[in-house]
Amino acid sequence: MPFTASWTQKALAEELSRLRKERGYSVRDVAEHTGWSIAKISRGENGVSKLNPLDVRRLAALYELADADADRLCEMARDSIADAWWRRYERWLSPTFLEFLGYEADAARAWSVQTMFVPGLLQTSDYVKAILGIGPVRDPDRNDADYEVRLRRQRRLEEPEPIELTALMAESVLHWQFGGAEVMRGQLTHLCTMAERPNVSVRVIPFAHPIPIYPIDLFESGGSAPAVVFSETQWGTPFTEDPIELRQARREIERLEAAALSEQESSKMIERRIRELD
């Protein structure tokens, strides 16, 4: 759908224009510092095109804003007709996961490295229910929110300009039977179906190759905007735009891509696993 600026987006555009002028920058100056086109900056400041959180964070760094002010502007950037759907779930989701959803909604490309679960964008509804049923009893409302958000996220794969997803999964993911053999069979069949999409690449990393203990998700929004990486650990799910950490994450993803089976070989392995579950 064409971008339609909400009142918050318009307010954000006006504030960024004011900040640029207060800092003594011309539009051309900002273009030179960011590598963006003059048209992109002008359209953003006039509310003609969308300013995503990655763009805003980059401008906030240029204008030397305090972290709290940068975070506030990033939240404003997410409040548009196209991407504010998750706000209704805020009471049940962690701030970091809300940040994750924002970056995922804005991303043009994504890489997901998983060691135990099928990536969220590729999970079936039964598989999601099985995962949410693991562990201590949770608040039913929170479970419902997690379930609905997981499935709603998947629309990014079907939009007119869908996200391009590279899913790198350890072979172990094919063997963890969340929900039992029937649920897993349905999930693996769904994986094969999704792998046929031109914007989805599913690749399996065989047991012979080591893989990080914790998942990695990397998003690129396209153009010259910086990428962002989320790395789940036992202490939480931090995200970073730090160039050094991004470089390290890219290097690790490249290593895993080199170790992974091809898309065709991965599909064959998944199909063999499906037959084993029959």
Side-chain angles (χ1 to χ4, degrees):
M1 75 190 293
F3 171 67
T4 302
S6 65
W7 70 267
T8 308
Q9 284 274 344
K10 292 175 182 177
L12 171 64
E14 292 174 0
E15 185 162 355
L16 289 173
S17 178
R18 176 183 59 79
L19 285 167
R20 174 180 60 76
K21 294 170 184 176
E22 286 180 354
R23 299 302 191 269
Y25 289 112
S26 67
V27 173
R28 185 175 297 277
D29 292 333
V30 175
E32 290 177 355
H33 278 86
T34 60
W36 300 341
S37 68
I38 291 175
K40 173 175 177 173
I41 299 164
S42 296
R43 288 171 64 84
E45 288 190 354
N46 287 292
V48 176
S49 62
K50 180 181 173 184
L51 293 164
N52 65 48
L54 294 175
D55 294 336
V56 170
R57 198 169 290 279
R58 189 161 188 179
L59 291 173
L62 176 62
Y63 300 153
E64 299 182 341
L65 298 184
D67 289 344
D69 290 330
D71 290 342
R72 177 178 60 82
L73 293 180
C74 284
E75 286 299 317
M76 293 174 70
R78 295 199 184 92
D79 187 14
S80 71
I81 292 173
D83 66 359
W85 62 266
W86 57 84
R87 289 188 175 278
R88 74 192 70 168
Y89 302 104
E90 283 184 332
R91 75 191 76 173
W92 296 292
L93 305 178
S94 70
T96 303
F97 189 54
L98 289 169
E99 194 85 20
F100 179 99
L101 292 174
Y103 283 110
E104 184 177 74
D106 287 320
R109 293 202 64 190
W111 289 259
S112 183
V113 178
Q114 295 292 328
T115 59
M116 181 176 289
F117 304 109
V118 169
L121 291 176
L122 301 175
Q123 293 174 358
T124 65
S125 59
D126 287 339
Y127 187 85
V128 174
K129 290 177 183 176
I131 291 173
L132 295 177
I134 298 170
V137 177
R138 304 172 72 203
D139 173 12
D141 289 332
R142 181 179 175 185
N143 254 20
D144 289 345
D146 283 342
Y147 174 77
E148 292 172 18
V149 167
R150 192 75 57 92
L151 297 184
R152 174 62 179 79
R153 288 169 54 198
Q154 297 177 1
R155 297 185 190 179
R156 282 293 286 113
L157 295 171
E158 302 173 350
E159 293 175 355
E161 295 184 7
I163 190 171
E164 293 182 16
L165 173 66
T166 297
L168 296 167
M169 299 177 298
E171 186 176 346
S172 55
V173 171
L174 309 182
H175 292 267
W176 288 101
Q177 291 190 33
F178 296 106
E182 183 175 352
V183 170
M184 198 62 200
R185 189 185 307 113
Q187 174 61 77
L188 295 181
T189 301
H190 180 67
L191 265 184
C192 290
T193 301
M194 295 302 293
E196 296 176 356
R197 290 177 174 266
N199 59 310
V200 177
S201 173
V202 175
R203 299 181 62 191
V204 178
I205 303 164
F207 285 127
H209 297 278
I211 188 170
I213 297 174
Y214 299 110
I216 301 171
D217 287 279
L218 189 147
F219 298 119
E220 286 183 349
S221 66
S224 58
V228 62
V229 64
F230 289 76
S231 180
E232 185 175 328
T233 72
Q234 61 181 314
W235 298 283
T237 310
F239 71 93
T240 181
E241 297 171 347
D242 179 80
I244 294 176
E245 294 189 38
L246 279 170
R247 187 166 64 246
Q248 292 173 338
R250 288 187 189 281
R251 188 179 296 127
E252 180 62 11
I253 288 173
E254 288 172 1
R255 182 185 73 81
L256 295 173
E257 286 182 318
L261 300 175
S262 68
E263 294 179 10
Q264 294 75 18
E265 291 171 328
S266 296
S267 292
K268 290 179 181 178
M269 176 178 281
I270 296 170
E271 289 167 357
R272 285 198 300 272
R273 182 63 186 140
I274 292 171
R275 290 194 294 271
E276 291 173 0
L277 292 168
D278 289 338

